[in-house]
Amino acid sequence: MEGGAYGAGKAGGAFDPYTLVRQPHTILRVVSWVFSIVVFGSIVNEGYLNSPSESEEFCIYNRNPNACGYGVTVGVLAFLTCLLYLALDVYFPQISSVKDRKKAVLSDIGVSAFWAFLWFVGFCYLANQWQVSKDSPLNEGTDAARAAIAFSFFSIFTWSLTAALAVRRFKDLTFQEEYSTLFPTSAQP
């Protein structure tokens, strides 16, 4: 890291996409974004089935529409959250105030931990409903259902790691704020 509070030395500088792409939290956020696409895409695409004897579609997870609805809702909202925080990652080097940076990182900690929890609930819910499912005619949609469960599980770890990295960034910002309070720039020779 070059001077300043987690890149504050570069505040106001030109946008550097190479540096952005190499940051671990950005990589994890893109991976989480892809995982959310897989979850909601597989449920929307093959999560609802209809049998010839019934006129209405049913959810592949134990015929429980709430299970499919939860998976799609969490997937879509996680997708949008990833986009929002990717935009914040792009804008973050332009924030010169340490207090504003701390607010952004604190929101990242809270949101990432919240999404890790939501993915944990989603994984447990989808896995439970899949376990008690009795019918899947001709095994239609089973791969998509399993993929949604698996990527819900993987998302728990990507969001948890994102929260852990945000905690580390917060510690860096707190140290920088304390250092600049103890040693103001005007006192340096």
Side-chain angles (χ1 to χ4, degrees), residues 3-91:
Y6 194 74
K10 295 187 248 177
F15 171 66
D16 184 15
Y18 182 69
T19 302
L20 176 72
V21 172
R22 291 185 34 205
Q23 294 177 348
H25 62 274
T26 304
I27 295 167
L28 278 172
R29 215 174 305 282
V30 170
V31 170
S32 297
W33 182 67
V34 171
F35 287 177
S36 68
I37 292 171
V38 171
V39 171
F40 81 78
S42 61
I43 294 174
V44 166
N45 196 28
E46 295 185 33
Y48 293 95
L49 301 174
N50 57 352
S51 65
S53 61
E54 299 177 28
S55 62
E56 199 171 307
E57 289 184 331
F58 61 90
C59 178
I60 197 168
Y61 296 102
N62 196 30
R63 294 183 176 252
N64 183 351
N66 293 331
C68 285
Y70 185 86
V72 170
T73 302
V74 168
V76 169
L77 291 178
F79 171 82
L80 295 174
T81 302
C82 285
L83 288 180
L84 176 73
Y85 277 90
L86 279 170
L88 181 63
D89 288 343
V90 168
Y91 180 66

Side-chain angles (χ1 to χ4, degrees), residues 36 38 68 89 99-100 107 117 135 171 175 177 179:
S36 68
V38 171
C68 285
D89 288 343
K99 291 187 188 294
D100 291 340
S107 76
F117 172 74
D135 58 347
K171 287 179 182 178
F175 171 76
E177 185 179 40
Y179 183 83

Side-chain angles (χ1 to χ4, degrees), residues 141-164:
T142 57
D143 291 339
R146 289 183 187 125
I149 292 169
F151 283 95
S152 293
F153 181 72
F154 300 150
S155 293
I156 297 167
F157 296 106
T158 59
W159 284 99
S160 297
L161 284 171
T162 304

Side-chain angles (χ1 to χ4, degrees), residues 3-6 98 171-181:
Y6 194 74
V98 174
K171 287 179 182 178
D172 291 344
L173 286 169
T174 304
F175 171 76
Q176 182 60 37
E177 185 179 40
E178 290 173 7
Y179 183 83
S180 61
T181 303

